[in-house]
């Protein structure tokens, strides 16, 4: 099957759209009718064909447009991609992981040929062909992490492990849910999660860290996280908050279905071989409420989750001001029927 | 006068545990204004701590220099500002060996910047001690323009670089030695909350 | 646990007590790479008992053609090393786990000082290759009693940064001299007997080194002791731990699902809650704090034992 890539934008005129197939495969994050933090980590096993879990790094119809959007963001603010000096080896580990995975999982789109340290990489969707020497950063146009993450959907953090903690010491972050890499780089697991309310008291981060410190090679894990975004905007950075912030207040009863998006992050975590670092890709999926309710189970459930969410969480996730509009809209799609377990559509 | 008591906060906000003498070991001491008091108290508890100390003091209009000088540090230097002594501080770090303790005392801005500098030079965090004294003004980074505004005492405040009105977060970057300031009226331009004095 | 069957490709005696084993993929493929300081757990089907011992990888971390370990024969031990020395030959198939690193280099360090005692040289052999490849400043000090026992000598590169201290020849490591005057950002790594690790830690503390710059790996093998009984509350059974068996091994033998990673009291994975304890837990791990050990509410089954009337665990 050859993949078709959308010609679309994530800013200004917002022509982003999901095909019917993309709606069906959206990683809906709620497996029950309510939500609270938990250490919802599971093995990143291969999922059903067509699902976002089918491949190690999901490539979908938004790939080319997302990479174009990343380039715009980086041109504006190169500090969205940073790596502390000791993280270069981890960058190579990550480059290898992505190239090998994509070449195996999407042979029609990507090719990797290796002859010792002489590597040859072909990325058809982006029209890239590169010969380089593995572990020689001067043979690439930029550092290894930047090179590969300009070709990989999602934000990416590389975490150094030392002193019984994980340290966010490198990253490519252009589609974040309101956190700043430039500010958070160099922080440990508890520090960069410091602004998250409630979860600390619940011991969520202690348990998650303990789990991640023992993450093993060849046994990646994943979890889903979510928030709400007005307009299909990838760059909801704090850096540009004063630019996109006003859009949040343009929601009306008439446009909420089209303009309000559920934003889901598929986070995966990988132990890497040479550096012993942990790679942390955070892949973002966007779905407009009007598309979401075409799956009746999701419409019902999202209504219940958002209606009953503690105020503090709605505040932290940044949609408290719009919650009445959103809940009101979704209530029209909730007939109070019971919902089935799990995240997938019923049919 | 003991160090400042701050109210409990989030995990990224630094805690200034107070200075504990490591005896007659190599030391770099850097203090501004009321921070002098912390070094004077430290030396009172253990005079030996001054034997191998290189003290840099930024008086900032306070009269404590004479008392500090009298403590008998190996090297005593007064500087009109942090910027003025930065290269000297860097050289001291570059010449230092493992086993050196860095004692920092005074305002958060000074402690934060000096800590960032020392970590970058390779000094492990465990070799850095700090005690907060004096002004509770904060050093704030504007997340939008990246400019740093020193001595912030109100919330919200105006970024001295780009002019946006920013609210004062407790989220703190050790690398930058600064708290994060975020536009307070981003969603509703011009609608500003009342200005308050920040509290410890 | 992603373990795989590997074929023993070479068995090379390095000294009277130490032998090197090389493992390769039976089908000739490549193995996952690793970082210096990593270990693998080797499974040894010794009659009715399945032994699992952790060994540091000593081969080049960037060479996936095989894994090499060096095993010192401990006749007083529980038989894992004896099994390797007496039962394992070229061509045998053994299950080997994925590399795990609990003794990694701090890659921010401006300099690395490696101190090895005896068989504790093993993790450094891989780290040396990594440091050389990354062109990072280092020095290595290898202490052994006699040249004949110093199995590591033949494996160490001839570099000016590598120093051997043979105590029989009157050359004893002067830890204070090694630590004095190291540049800011130096990290020290010690692997070997408890005594050496404590001596380095003691000297470093006296010289005012912060803890985060000190790294050590003791490579504990579970100490033998008197047999004891343990009740596993969730499984609803009582098991007996034999004198040459660890509590973890006894649980595994009873088919009780118990987590582990290092099997040497270092990683914290096997931590288990104690529901009741009439007697004294013999804590042998490096994971629990002294206060936790005294409280007797947690135990690390991979290395710790028990003496007394009743020990009930949440497992
Ligand atoms: S398995 Fe690592 S401490 Fe027990």
């Amino acid at each position: 099957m050859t993949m078709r890539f959308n010609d679309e934008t994530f800013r200004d005129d917002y022509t982003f759209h999901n095909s019917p197939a993309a709606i069906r495969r959206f990683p809906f994050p709620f497996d029950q009718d309510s939500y609270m933090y938990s250490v919802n980590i599971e093995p990143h096993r291969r999922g059903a064909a067509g699902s976002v879990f089918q491949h190690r790094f999901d490539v979908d119809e938004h790939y080319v447009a997302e990479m174009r959007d990343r380039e715009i963001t980086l041109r504006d603010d190169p500090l969205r991609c940073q790596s502390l000096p000791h993280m270069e080896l981890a960058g190579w580990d990550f480059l290898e992981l992505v190239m090998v995975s994509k070449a195996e999982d999407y042979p029609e789109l990507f090719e990797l040929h290796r002859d010792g340290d002489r590597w040859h990489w072909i990325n058809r969707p982006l029209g890239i062909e590169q010969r380089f020497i593995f572990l020689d950063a001067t043979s690439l146009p930029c550092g290894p992490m930047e090179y590969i993450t300009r070709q990989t959907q999602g934000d990416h953090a590389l975490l150094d492990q030392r002193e019984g903690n994980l340290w966010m010491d490198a990253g490519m972050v252009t589609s974040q849910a309101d956190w700043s890499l430039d500010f958070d780089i160099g922080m440990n697991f508890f520090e960069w999660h410091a602004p998250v309310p409630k979860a600390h008291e619940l011991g969520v981060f202690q348990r998650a860290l303990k789990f991640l410190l023992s993450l093993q090679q060849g046994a990646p894990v994943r979890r889903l996280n979510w928030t709400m975004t007005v307009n299909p905007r990838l760059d909801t950075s704090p850096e540009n908050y004063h630019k996109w912030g006003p859009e949040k207040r343009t929601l009306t009863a008439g446009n909420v279905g089209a303009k309000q998006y559920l934003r889901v992050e598929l986070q995966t975590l990988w132990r890497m071989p040479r550096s012993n670092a942990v790679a942390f890709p955070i892949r973002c999926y966007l779905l407009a409420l009007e598309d979401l309710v075409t799956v009746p189970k999701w419409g019902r459930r999202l209504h219940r989750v958002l209606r009953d969410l503690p105020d503090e969480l709605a505040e932290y996730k940044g949609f408290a001001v719009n919650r009445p509009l959103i809940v009101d809209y979704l209530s029209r799609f909730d007939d109070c029927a019971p919902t089935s377990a799990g995240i997938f559509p019923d049919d | 006068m003991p160090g400042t008591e701050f109210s409990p906060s989030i995990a990224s906000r630094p805690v200034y545990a107070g200075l504990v003498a490591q005896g007659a070991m190599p030391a770099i001491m850097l203090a501004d204004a009321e921070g002098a008091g912390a070094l004077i108290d430290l030396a009172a508890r253990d005079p030996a701590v001054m034997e191998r100390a290189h003290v840099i003091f930024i008086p900032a209009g306070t009269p404590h220099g004479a008392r500090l000088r009298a403590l008998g540090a190996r090297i005593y230097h007064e500087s009109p500002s942090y910027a003025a002594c930065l290269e000297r501080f860097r050289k001291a770090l570059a010449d230092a060996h493992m086993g050196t303790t860095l004692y920092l005392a005074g305002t958060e801005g000074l402690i934060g910047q000096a800590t960032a500098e020392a970590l970058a030079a390779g000094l492990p965090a465990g070799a850095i001690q700090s005690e907060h004294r004096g002004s509770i003004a904060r050093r704030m980074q504007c997340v939008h323009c990246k400019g740093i505004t020193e001595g912030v005492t109100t919330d919200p405040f105006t970024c001295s670089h780009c002019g946006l009105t920013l609210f004062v977060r407790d989220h703190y970057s050790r690398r930058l030695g600064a708290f994060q300031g975020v536009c307070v009226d981003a969603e509703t331009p011009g609608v500003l909350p009342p200005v308050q004095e920040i509290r410890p | 646990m992603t373990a795989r069957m590997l074929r023993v490709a070479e068995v090379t005696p390095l000294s009277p007590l130490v032998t090197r084993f090389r493992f390769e993929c039976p089908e000739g493929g490549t193995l996952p790479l690793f970082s210096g300081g990593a270990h693998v757990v080797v499974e040894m089907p010794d009659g009715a008992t399945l032994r699992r011992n952790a060994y540091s990888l000593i081969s080049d971390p960037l060479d996936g053609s095989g894994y090499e370990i060096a095993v010192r024969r401990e006749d007083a031990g529980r038989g894992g090393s004896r099994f390797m020395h007496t039962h394992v030959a070229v061509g045998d198939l053994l299950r080997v786990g994925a590399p795990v690193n609990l003794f990694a280099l701090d890659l921010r360090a401006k300099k690395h000082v490696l101190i090895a005692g005896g068989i504790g040289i093993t993790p450094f052999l891989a780290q040396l290759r990594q440091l050389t490849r990354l062109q990072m400043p280092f020095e290595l000090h290898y202490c052994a009693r006699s040249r004949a026992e110093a199995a590591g000598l033949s494996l160490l590169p001839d570099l000016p940064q590598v120093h051997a201290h043979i105590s029989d020849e009157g050359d004893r490591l002067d830890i204070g001299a090694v630590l004095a005057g190291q540049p800011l950002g130096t990290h020290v790594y010690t692997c070997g007997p408890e005594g050496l690790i404590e001596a380095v830690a003691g000297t470093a503390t006296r010289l005012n080194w912060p803890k985060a710059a000190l790294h050590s790996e003791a490579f504990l093998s579970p100490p033998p002791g008197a047999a004891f009984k343990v009740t596993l509350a969730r499984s609803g059974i009582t098991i007996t731990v034999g004198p040459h068996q660890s509590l973890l091994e006894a649980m595994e033998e009873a088919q009780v699902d118990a987590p582990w990673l290092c099997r040497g009291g270092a990683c914290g994975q096997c931590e288990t809650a104690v529901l009741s304890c009439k007697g004294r837990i013999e804590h042998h791990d490096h994971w629990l704090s002294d206060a936790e050990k005294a409280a007797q509410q947690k135990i690390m089954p991979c290395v710790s034992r028990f003496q007394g009337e009743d020990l009930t665990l949440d497992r």
Side-chain angles (χ1 to χ4, degrees):
Chain A
M1 184 194 89
T2 49
M3 200 175 298
R4 298 214 16 215
F5 298 105
N6 298 350
D7 185 10
E8 59 191 3
T9 57
F10 297 85
R11 57 183 77 214
D12 306 324
D13 56 352
Y14 293 115
T15 58
F16 169 88
H17 55 282
N18 281 299
S19 67
I23 297 173
R24 298 278 312 175
R25 74 196 296 275
F26 183 79
F28 186 74
F30 306 107
D31 61 354
Q32 47 187 7
D33 289 356
S34 63
Y35 172 80
M36 192 53 208
Y37 290 121
S38 59
V39 186
N40 53 338
I41 304 177
E42 57 174 343
H44 186 36
R45 280 200 211 96
R46 245 168 231 285
S51 79
V52 300
F53 306 124
Q54 182 185 3
H55 296 303
R56 288 166 280 188
F57 292 87
D58 183 41
V59 175
D60 66 8
E61 64 188 31
H62 308 297
Y63 177 49
V64 175
E66 272 186 56
M67 293 301 99
R68 223 184 288 141
D69 191 71
R70 163 158 293 160
E71 208 182 308
I72 300 172
T73 302
L74 284 172
R75 240 185 284 144
D76 252 23
D77 181 2
L79 296 178
R80 302 297 185 84
C81 179
Q82 294 189 52
S83 174
L84 297 182
H86 63 282
M87 295 304 282
E88 189 178 301
L89 188 62
W92 285 110
D93 271 334
F94 190 55
L95 173 143
E96 175 189 58
L97 174 66
V98 174
M99 285 187 178
V100 168
S101 304
K102 283 190 171 176
E104 282 174 9
D105 293 345
Y106 300 92
E108 72 285 10
L109 302 180
F110 306 96
E111 273 178 48
L112 177 66
H113 305 281
R114 289 184 283 183
D115 170 15
D117 285 345
R118 265 186 286 267
W119 290 31
H120 179 196
W121 165 247
I122 299 171
N123 177 335
R124 293 218 165 75
L126 296 182
I128 292 172
E129 178 161 3
Q130 178 82 40
R131 290 171 200 274
F132 62 99
I133 301 166
F134 191 73
L135 293 183
D136 176 358
T138 63
S139 67
L140 282 175
C142 54
M145 179 195 66
E146 177 170 350
Y147 182 78
I148 197 58
T149 56
R150 279 177 177 271
Q151 304 178 41
T152 310
Q153 285 167 278
D155 285 345
H156 305 277
L158 303 183
L159 315 178
D160 193 25
Q161 179 161 335
R162 54 177 200 269
E163 297 170 32
N165 214 320
L166 292 170
W167 304 77
M168 165 109 49
D169 284 347
M172 165 69 91
V173 179
T174 62
S175 48
Q176 68 269 51
D178 211 3
W179 62 281
S180 164
L181 173 74
D182 180 53
F183 196 81
D184 286 3
I185 192 170
M187 289 189 188
N188 69 36
F189 196 75
F190 299 119
E191 291 167 345
W192 89 69
H193 284 118
V196 183
K198 280 197 165 172
H200 291 269
E201 296 91 88
L202 295 172
V204 167
F205 294 126
Q206 262 86 0
R207 284 200 299 277
L209 176 64
K210 186 176 173 204
F211 183 87
L212 295 177
L213 288 174
S214 63
L215 189 66
Q216 288 199 52
Q217 266 197 70
V221 296
R222 67 174 173 241
R223 69 182 285 263
L224 294 174
N225 196 11
W226 66 278
T227 188
M228 305 293 291
T229 304
V230 174
N231 287 333
R233 186 175 179 91
L234 287 177
D235 177 25
T236 50
S237 59
E239 276 84 352
N240 286 334
Y241 181 34
H242 55 307
K243 297 179 188 156
W244 58 264
E247 291 177 13
K248 263 175 76 174
R249 305 294 180 118
T250 59
L251 224 52
T252 63
N255 67 18
V256 55
K259 273 175 92 89
Q260 179 65 59
Y261 284 73
L262 173 60
R263 182 187 191 103
V264 171
E265 291 175 355
L266 167 55
Q267 308 179 343
T268 53
L269 292 126
W270 311 73
R271 171 74 61 196
M272 300 194 293
R274 300 166 187 81
S275 58
N276 200 41
V278 171
F280 182 21
I282 306 158
R283 172 64 187 279
C284 169
Y285 295 87
L286 294 162
L287 185 59
L289 293 188
E290 66 185 13
D291 287 339
L292 183 138
V293 298
T294 60
V295 176
K297 170 178 165 182
W298 292 353
R300 287 185 191 109
R301 179 166 289 168
L302 186 63
H303 170 244
R304 295 167 202 178
V305 168
L306 296 186
R307 182 192 60 197
D308 302 339
L309 195 76
D311 289 338
E312 217 177 338
L313 283 183
E315 197 63 57
Y316 169 67
K317 290 186 182 278
F319 69 96
V321 287
N322 290 325
R323 171 145 79 162
L325 273 177
I326 297 168
V327 170
D328 199 46
Y329 172 81
L330 288 172
S331 69
R332 292 194 267 134
F333 303 91
D334 186 355
D335 55 6
C336 300
T339 52
S340 61
I343 63 175
F344 296 103
D346 282 329
D347 39 289
Chain B
M1 185 182 81
T4 313
E5 292 257 5
F6 289 97
S7 36
S9 181
I10 60 175
S12 56
R13 200 217 189 295
V15 207
Y16 308 103
L19 304 183
V20 179
Q22 302 297 303
M25 300 295 281
I28 303 171
M29 300 182 182
L30 183 55
D32 68 354
E34 300 306 328
L39 295 187
I40 291 166
D41 291 351
L42 176 75
R45 291 194 293 274
D46 180 8
V49 79
M50 287 294 160
E51 273 172 38
R52 299 172 73 182
H54 178 167
V55 176
I56 303 173
F57 179 53
I58 302 156
T62 61
H64 308 307
R67 282 185 68 198
L68 258 188
R69 184 187 297 273
L71 296 178
R74 186 176 64 87
I75 304 175
Y76 177 79
H77 174 75
E78 256 176 44
S79 177
S81 68
Y82 178 71
C85 67
L86 181 55
E87 288 307 323
R88 181 190 183 98
F89 178 45
R90 285 190 178 145
K91 177 78 162 70
L93 288 168
D95 293 345
H97 295 105
M98 289 299 283
T100 303
T101 301
L102 173 62
Y103 298 88
L104 300 172
T107 61
E108 269 195 293
L110 177 84
I111 295 174
Q113 289 176 86
T115 300
E117 197 64 42
L119 291 173
L123 191 70
I128 304 173
Q129 299 193 19
S130 57
E131 183 162 327
H132 186 272
R133 296 272 184 120
S135 162
I136 56 157
R138 291 190 182 192
R139 191 165 186 266
M140 302 292 308
Q141 190 211 35
C142 171
V143 75
H144 311 289
C145 79
K146 310 288 182 190
I148 299 231
T149 303
E150 305 276 353
V152 171
T153 56
T154 64
D155 179 17
F157 70 101
T158 306
C159 173
S160 62
H161 302 264
C162 69
L164 285 175
T165 308
L166 309 178
F167 72 93
V168 173
R169 294 185 78 189
D170 272 356
H171 199 34
Y172 182 86
S173 161
R174 221 184 353 257
R175 187 182 70 97
L176 301 170
F179 290 91
Q180 191 173 57
V182 180
C183 184
V184 73
D185 57 342
E187 297 180 22
T188 50
V191 182
L192 298 172
V195 174
Q196 295 183 329
E197 289 291 310
I198 60 171
R199 283 192 299 265
Chain C
M1 181 117 319
T2 46
R4 59 185 85 207
M5 272 296 184
L6 298 183
R7 190 177 58 88
V8 177
E10 283 169 31
V11 178
T12 319
L14 300 173
S15 78
L17 287 179
V18 180
T19 299
R20 176 176 62 190
F21 297 84
R22 179 179 171 84
F23 297 95
E24 290 177 1
C25 275
E27 321 79 32
T30 55
L31 294 165
L33 303 182
F34 57 97
S35 48
H39 70 260
V40 290
V41 168
V42 179
E43 295 187 4
M44 295 165 267
D46 186 4
T49 33
L50 179 66
R51 300 189 186 283
R52 289 191 176 104
N53 279 18
Y55 296 104
S56 296
L57 290 167
I58 65 169
S59 44
D60 184 351
L62 298 193
D63 176 3
S65 68
Y67 288 157
E68 292 174 9
I69 60 172
V71 180
R72 185 188 149 95
R73 178 174 173 148
E74 312 279 357
D75 285 321
R78 305 156 320 114
S81 68
R82 210 170 27 207
F83 177 87
M84 288 298 292
H85 277 253
T86 54
H87 285 63
V88 175
V90 171
D92 287 356
L93 290 176
L94 290 178
R95 269 175 81 80
V96 178
V100 170
N101 200 342
L102 301 170
F103 191 49
L105 295 169
D106 188 323
L107 295 177
R108 297 168 311 157
K110 309 265 188 231
K111 180 176 177 185
H112 303 267
V113 174
L114 317 177
I115 301 176
I119 194 67
I121 189 67
T122 51
F124 295 136
L125 293 168
Q127 287 183 346
L128 271 185
R129 306 211 194 218
Q130 191 181 350
L131 290 168
T132 316
R133 174 117 194 192
L134 297 175
Q135 300 184 328
M136 288 176 153
F138 72 91
E139 61 185 76
L140 177 135
H141 298 270
Y142 172 40
C143 313
R145 206 165 305 141
S146 68
R147 227 159 253 282
E149 276 181 36
L153 280 181
S154 61
L155 302 174
L156 284 169
D158 181 18
L159 291 171
Q161 300 98 318
V162 173
H163 311 271
H165 305 270
I166 310 290
S167 53
D168 272 4
E169 299 173 3
D171 181 358
R172 284 184 167 276
L173 174 70
D174 179 348
I175 299 170
V178 168
L179 296 188
Q182 293 290 356
L184 279 198
T186 303
H187 281 247
V188 172
Y189 308 80
T190 314
C191 184
E194 285 294 325
L196 179 69
I197 291 172
E198 277 163 24
V200 172
T203 307
T205 307
R206 201 159 38 71
L207 293 174
N208 224 2
W209 285 56
K211 284 211 162 33
L214 307 178
H215 311 260
S216 65
E217 184 163 70
F219 252 96
L220 276 191
S221 47
F228 60 98
K229 276 198 169 49
V230 178
T231 303
L232 305 175
R234 253 187 286 159
S235 319
I237 53 170
T238 298
I239 57 173
T240 302
V241 182
H244 289 281
Q245 198 179 29
S246 72
L247 170 51
L248 177 61
E249 286 167 337
M251 291 199 280
E252 287 171 341
E253 199 173 274
Q255 317 288 333
V256 173
D257 197 23
W260 54 270
L261 197 55
C262 70
R263 304 180 81 88
C267 72
Q269 268 309 294
C270 67
E271 185 181 295
T272 303
V274 173
L275 298 178
S276 77
C277 171
K278 285 195 204 85
R280 196 168 54 81
I281 297 177
E282 298 169 0
H283 294 286
H284 294 293
D285 61 276
H286 296 283
W287 176 256
L288 299 175
S289 67
D290 288 346
E292 285 174 317
K293 286 179 181 174
Q296 302 213 112
Q297 285 165 359
K298 290 173 182 173
I299 186 170
M300 311 307 289
C302 63
V303 287
S304 297
R305 307 185 71 85
F306 173 73
Q307 266 187 44
E309 262 170 63
D310 161 60
L311 178 67
T312 306
L313 304 182
D314 183 21
R315 191 63 85 193

